[in-house]
Amino acid sequence: MNEISRRAFLGDMGTGLQAIALASLLRGPGEKHHAPRAKQVLQIFCPGAVSSMDTFDFKPELEKQHGKPLPGGEKIVTFQGAQGNVMKSPWGWKQYGDSGKWISDLLPNLGRVADDLCFIHSLTSKSNTHGPATLQMNTGFILEGFPSIGAWTVYALGSESRNLPAYVAIPDPRGLPPSGPANWTNGFLPAAFQGTAFGAARPIANLADPPGTTPDGEKDVRDFVGLLNSDHAERNPGHSDLQARIAAYELAARMQLSAPEVADFSREDRETLALYGADSANPVHAGYGRNCILARRLLERGVRFVQLFCGAHTAAEGQFNWDSHRNLKADYERHTAVLDRPTAALLRDLKRRGMLDDVLVLWTTEFGRMPTHQANTDGRDHNPNGFTVWMAGAGVKAGYSHGATDDFGYKAVEKVATIHDFHATVLHLLGLDHEKLTFYHNGIQRRLTDVHGHVIRDLLA
């Protein structure tokens, strides 16, 4: 496990963060278009395209038609070539809670919190390729270079934390998602609004003051450097890059105290660690569990937008992400064992602390998968025509399901929604009008939803 030194930490914060601390200066917090329902966002993203009909979208017809050709499927062109016949889900399903929501036996812990979840079963994507589709879910566009939804949120609302970045991305301990940092980029927005990536799996160490220093001496040095910086800034008015650099280093200095504290799990009791599975002997399970705790701790300390990944891009097919082309059963039993317990624990923990009143939780993936098996395999191919995501917490209906795919789960047919609609709804819950939240770039007033999108009002509580 790698550790970050004091020198590297300060350098990374000063150069990598750029103007992260200028968010509240460039556009002050609280500039909303209407009364918000949510103040913060937690986005959980599972790269690799989670199969809806094996997790949250129960399709009895797959059982009935197992082994038969998909009606009308002979004209379908899939991502990796020929498809086979209809394939039933390898797992059973149960109904949970007062809502009676059907959830796969793969996800019993999430099933037990089904009454807190708001499902969208009719989402569609523009791409069936992981990189572009991942970018669309996180930035609204299938090409790189556009700001992420977290960057747009911080651009509009600023930060509620003085000592931590306003926007934090927590990659899977095993690696980055497809397209990497482009998922939390500021794009053409000022650098102040990019996400800052770190996680519990890579602790920050050696941030103590050098030997021989005293708190008073350290303060005197910082005050003197601050005076020099202030004088230099006054002699270079309007130099936004300089102001950004000064603010970034000042934030980095404050984070010497705040960052180790937020990742100090010695303050968490054994019951909480066990609830999240963070005490697991399996390092993959424990790593994601600890990242879930880190997400909660960041939200508690005022971070505006937290992006939490479960799965990573890998050349070894199916090893780290949800892209199961060949062996669905083995892959998903491995992946859901990582996702289920900590994610459900995070929801329970946020709820018992009263945080779901202010935090909007999003569970997302880039597209769905086919109801058939891929030819000569026991896996499913890509499918952007209909898939499931869910929301929970501030401002959304609990125990509610919106829209539907057809009887086989292939195509959205009822209350069809786009990712632009999804983003418009998230911004609306934050008190923002997606048509008014714009930034002038290359002759165009750009926005997260391009020229599309409608708020999905049926989801609103």
Side-chain angles (χ1 to χ4, degrees), residues 241-286:
D241 287 347
L242 172 61
Q243 294 172 337
R245 197 173 303 116
I246 291 170
Y249 274 107
E250 288 175 348
L251 174 61
R254 295 194 300 273
M255 283 182 67
Q256 289 186 78
L257 297 176
S258 61
E261 186 276 331
V262 77
D264 182 5
F265 292 165
S266 67
R267 300 166 186 258
E268 302 288 337
D269 58 38
R270 291 183 179 179
E271 179 184 359
T272 300
L273 294 174
L275 177 70
Y276 283 86
D279 57 353
S280 172
N282 184 316
V284 175
H285 295 191

Side-chain angles (χ1 to χ4, degrees), residues 213-256:
T213 61
T214 65
D216 288 343
E218 181 81 1
K219 181 178 182 301
D220 289 342
V221 170
R222 290 181 181 177
D223 287 346
F224 180 63
V225 172
L227 181 65
L228 294 176
N229 284 337
S230 177
D231 180 66
H232 189 43
E234 287 180 3
R235 287 185 281 108
N236 293 272
H239 196 322
S240 61
D241 287 347
L242 172 61
Q243 294 172 337
R245 197 173 303 116
I246 291 170
Y249 274 107
E250 288 175 348
L251 174 61
R254 295 194 300 273
M255 283 182 67
Q256 289 186 78

Side-chain angles (χ1 to χ4, degrees), residues 74 139 186 188 204 217-218 250 319-320 328 330 365 399 404 432 452:
E74 64 276 359
T139 73
N186 57 293
F188 47 73
I204 300 170
E218 181 81 1
E250 288 175 348
Q319 184 178 0
F320 292 160
L328 179 79
T365 192
L432 302 169
H452 309 285

